[in-house]
């Protein structure tokens, strides 16, 4: 396999019993890219606190895996439970979250604890929190403020000790402005905010994840583990991955099914439209790479961040280092800098630490 195997990076996966083949969630999350490593440091720094955490990220980026890691590092002894707010019937949402007593509604033949009670002492992860109806948002706010729930059809409150982690793939601040989400609840949930970038922004994770999925499916199919050809690697790195990690898993799985040799070639990759990061056709060799980068910079400048220069520098250094197969001399020559300057940049962005581990 490629030199990436010499650079072990932290990997998060679901327990085998929870790896549903029909799920659209990301089944693995790796921290090889500098952006990902900084996120992992932030996650582990805030995990021991009891503060609510709001995770922002597109569908398929691995938000639930982040929530599970927060729980694992929190020291809480209770369970981790995950609920998709978008999948709960609005009519039953209150009973699902807070529980109900016998006879509280038609069909409630017995009392039942809700998700908050079930997660007592542990962590409750509410995905797609932006889909929660406004009426339930009021009751959720009260639970966070009072630390107790009242079952549907009951009057007596029940104390709960739950660390709440929520996630969204929409801009909740805009939802507040539009009147679709309560501002007071938003502030309560957003005590700690974590941003999980899409896969296209953490390209250093793409090939390690591809190799992970390749090994998993080769084992399941009892096939020889192939290499990813240089051309296929370039295609994987240049693709925009609108479906994020879940799409990457599907692409690798399909490639393994149709490949008939010792390596995966570009023709084995089923990339939808093959849209590269710079836009346009993946086979359009007439596009000036610097012009494509310039267009992407305009997009970044439209939503500036205080660490933009550092993030761009990290991407360049990471890409050159990978392209040179982690050879410092070749990387320095590629960038037109001295090896000492390269080492300074590698240390700044945490790329030498992995080599030493």
């Amino acid at each position: 396999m490629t030199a990436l195997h010499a650079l072990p990076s932290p990997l998060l996966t679901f327990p085998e019993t929870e790896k549903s083949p029909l799920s659209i969630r990301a089944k693995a999350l790796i921290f090889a890219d500098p952006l990902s490593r900084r996120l992992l440091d932030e996650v582990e720094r805030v995990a021991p606190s009891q503060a609510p955490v709001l995770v922002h990220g597109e569908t398929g980026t691995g938000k639930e895996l982040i929530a599970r890691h927060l729980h694992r590092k929190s020291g809480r002894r209770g369970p981790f439970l995950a609920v998709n707010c978008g999948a709960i019937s609005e009519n039953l949402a209150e009973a699902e979250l807070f529980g109900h007593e016998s006879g509280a509604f038609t069909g409630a033949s017995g009392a039942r604890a809700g998700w908050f009670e079930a997660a007592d002492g542990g962590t409750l992860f509410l995905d797609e929190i932006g889909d929660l109806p406004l009426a339930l948002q009021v009751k959720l706010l009260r639970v966070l403020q009072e630390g107790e729930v009242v079952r549907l059809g009951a009057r007596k409150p029940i104390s709960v000790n739950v660390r709440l982690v929520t996630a969204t793939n929409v801009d909740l601040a805009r939802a507040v402005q539009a009147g679709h989400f309560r501002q007071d609840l938003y502030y309560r949930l957003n005590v700690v905010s974590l941003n999980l970038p899409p896969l296209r922004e953490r390209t250093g994770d793409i090939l390690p994840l591809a190799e992970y999925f390749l090994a998993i499916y080769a084992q399941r199919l009892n096939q020889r583990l192939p290499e990813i050809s240089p051309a296929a690697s370039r295609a994987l790195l240049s693709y925009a991955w609108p479906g994020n990690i879940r799409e990457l898993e599907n692409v690798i799985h399909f490639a393994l099914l149709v490949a008939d040799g010792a390596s995966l070639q570009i023709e084995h990759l089923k990339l939808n439209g093959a849209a590269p990061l710079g836009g346009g056709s993946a086979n359009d060799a007439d596009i000036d790479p610097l012009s494509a980068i310039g267009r992407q910079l305009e997009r970044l400048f439209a939503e500036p961040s205080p660490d933009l220069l550092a993030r761009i520098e990290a991407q360049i250094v990471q890409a050159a280092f990978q392209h040179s197969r982690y050879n410092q001399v070749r990387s320095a020559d590629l960038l037109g800098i001295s090896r000492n300057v390269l080492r300074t940049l590698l240390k700044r962005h945490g790329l030498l630490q992995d080599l030493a581990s």
Side-chain angles (χ1 to χ4, degrees), residues 3 8 33 44 54-55 80 88 90 141 145 154 161 169 217 236 253 263 281 315:
D33 190 273
E44 296 185 346
L54 178 60
V55 184
F80 174 90
I88 303 178
E90 187 170 346
L141 180 63
Q145 291 173 337
N161 176 14
N169 57 11
Y217 282 105
L236 292 172
H253 187 188
S263 65
S281 170
Q315 288 278 8

Side-chain angles (χ1 to χ4, degrees), residues 18-238:
E18 298 185 30
K19 292 182 179 178
S20 168
L22 301 179
S23 174
I24 62 170
R25 62 189 180 180
K27 296 181 184 176
L29 191 59
I30 204 164
F31 300 90
D33 190 273
L35 273 180
S36 301
R37 283 199 294 271
R38 285 199 291 271
L39 173 64
L40 180 62
D41 290 342
E42 190 174 0
V43 167
E44 296 185 346
R45 187 167 59 250
V46 303
S49 77
Q50 304 304 310
V53 177
L54 178 60
V55 184
H56 302 264
E58 296 179 4
T59 299
T61 49
K63 297 187 292 295
E64 184 175 337
L65 287 168
I66 290 292
R68 287 175 177 271
H69 195 59
L70 277 164
H71 173 68
R72 190 178 301 115
K73 293 292 184 176
S74 70
R76 298 182 67 85
R77 296 183 178 275
F80 174 90
L81 298 178
V83 181
N84 187 324
C85 296
I88 303 178
S89 166
E90 187 170 346
N91 295 331
L92 298 176
E94 182 176 356
E96 287 285 332
L97 289 175
F98 310 126
H100 63 81
E101 294 295 335
S102 178
F105 53 87
T106 303
S109 57
R112 181 181 177 184
W115 288 107
F116 271 90
E117 286 183 70
D120 189 33
T123 301
L124 180 60
F125 173 60
L126 298 182
D127 197 5
E128 297 186 25
I129 188 66
D131 290 342
L132 200 66
L134 282 168
L136 274 184
Q137 293 178 26
V138 177
K139 297 182 179 181
L140 176 58
L141 180 63
R142 183 183 181 279
V143 171
L144 294 175
Q145 291 173 337
E146 306 296 333
E148 56 187 25
V149 297
V150 178
R151 290 183 178 181
L152 192 63
R155 295 182 179 179
K156 182 180 179 181
I158 301 172
S159 296
V160 290
N161 176 14
V162 174
R163 204 285 181 72
L164 189 65
V165 180
T166 55
T168 179
N169 57 11
V170 300
D171 189 334
L172 283 187
R174 291 186 179 180
V176 169
Q177 294 175 353
H180 300 150
F181 201 84
R182 291 185 60 91
Q183 185 176 53
D184 46 6
L185 178 59
Y186 172 65
Y187 289 142
R188 190 79 185 190
L189 298 176
N190 200 34
V191 175
V192 176
S193 180
L194 297 175
N195 181 46
L196 180 52
L199 189 57
R200 61 184 173 273
E201 293 182 9
R202 41 191 170 105
T203 54
D205 293 344
I206 293 175
L207 294 182
L209 279 169
E211 292 185 348
Y212 167 77
F213 289 128
L214 193 61
I216 291 294
Y217 282 105
Q219 183 179 33
R220 291 180 185 176
L221 297 170
N222 196 27
Q223 293 184 11
R224 176 184 176 185
L225 183 63
E227 292 185 350
I228 303 176
S229 72
S233 294
R234 288 193 295 270
L236 292 172
L237 290 170
S238 66

Side-chain angles (χ1 to χ4, degrees), residues 317-330:
V317 174
Q318 170 88 357
F321 203 32
Q322 286 184 340
H323 181 81
S324 304
R325 293 188 176 274
Y326 308 98
N327 183 291
Q328 294 180 31
V329 174
R330 288 201 296 268

Side-chain angles (χ1 to χ4, degrees), residues 7 9 31-39 41 204-205 306-322 326 335 337 340-355:
L7 297 173
S9 299
F31 300 90
D33 190 273
L35 273 180
S36 301
R37 283 199 294 271
R38 285 199 291 271
L39 173 64
D41 290 342
D205 293 344
D307 62 342
L308 180 57
L309 180 59
R311 291 170 58 191
I312 294 173
E313 182 182 81
Q315 288 278 8
I316 294 173
V317 174
Q318 170 88 357
F321 203 32
Q322 286 184 340
Y326 308 98
L335 295 173
I337 58 179
N340 287 339
V341 171
L342 176 72
R343 287 183 61 83
T344 299
L345 293 173
L346 292 173
K347 290 179 181 179
R348 179 184 302 166
H349 299 295
L351 294 171
L352 281 186
Q353 181 178 356
D354 283 340
L355 289 173

